[in-house]
Amino acid sequence: MTQKFTLGAAIAVAVSLSIAAFAGASDYVFEPTSTEVKKGDDVIVSVRLKHKPTGKMVSDAVIAQTRIDMAPEGMAEMSAPLTAVPSTEPGVYSFKTDLSMQGQWLLSIAAKVQGEPETVVGKITFRASR
Ligand SMILES: [Cu+2]
């Protein structure tokens, strides 16, 4: 009886530990503020970073890496420059880019969040229209 209880407790501990291990970068998600943008130069693409368990926006992330290319259209080698620009609201990260072709563009983004050892990554598709 005692042994059974101990085993149950051990399993409960193991389960909660593995939940803690899975919590981390996957607690955060990048979402587009709008997936529709106009084709052309000096286009602004914006994403917001959300902490999923609390629903709170994360405004102090440090963007480590960004790339935008036409991978969704089978043109992964067709990339465009990205320049960070001041955001319009807390938790929103905006970039200026040149989307020279209409179609789908994939933004890949990596960020460091305060207190989170893992790098948070996101892939967001934007559609550039005429
Ligand atoms: Cu293209």
Side-chain angles (χ1 to χ4, degrees):
M1 203 57 170
T2 312
Q3 203 175 356
K4 205 172 189 178
F5 174 80
T6 310
L7 181 61
I11 290 170
V13 169
V15 167
S16 59
L17 281 177
S18 67
I19 289 169
F22 280 117
S26 61
D27 277 352
Y28 299 88
V29 63
F30 280 103
E31 298 172 338
T33 59
S34 168
T35 56
E36 300 288 323
V37 290
K38 284 253 179 280
K39 180 193 114 172
D41 291 346
D42 297 340
V43 174
I44 303 291
V45 292
S46 296
V47 290
R48 65 172 74 88
L49 179 57
K50 192 165 83 179
H51 182 235
K52 288 192 276 183
T54 60
K56 284 187 176 154
M57 297 304 144
V58 181
S59 54
D60 57 356
V62 177
I63 305 301
Q65 228 182 335
T66 54
R67 176 183 169 88
I68 194 164
D69 62 45
M70 289 197 84
E73 303 278 7
M75 289 178 272
E77 72 289 348
M78 186 175 176
S79 62
L82 285 162
T83 308
V85 294
S87 84
T88 49
E89 51 181 300
V92 171
Y93 301 84
S94 296
F95 305 90
K96 192 160 76 175
T97 185
D98 301 329
L99 303 181
S100 54
M101 186 186 278
Q102 71 181 101
Q104 294 189 79
W105 291 78
L106 181 70
L107 174 69
S108 305
I109 187 165
K112 297 301 286 181
V113 174
Q114 294 286 326
E116 172 50 60
E118 291 176 21
T119 299
V120 176
V121 295
K123 289 190 179 292
I124 306 98
T125 303
F126 293 90
R127 178 178 292 277
S129 60
R130 271 181 197 285

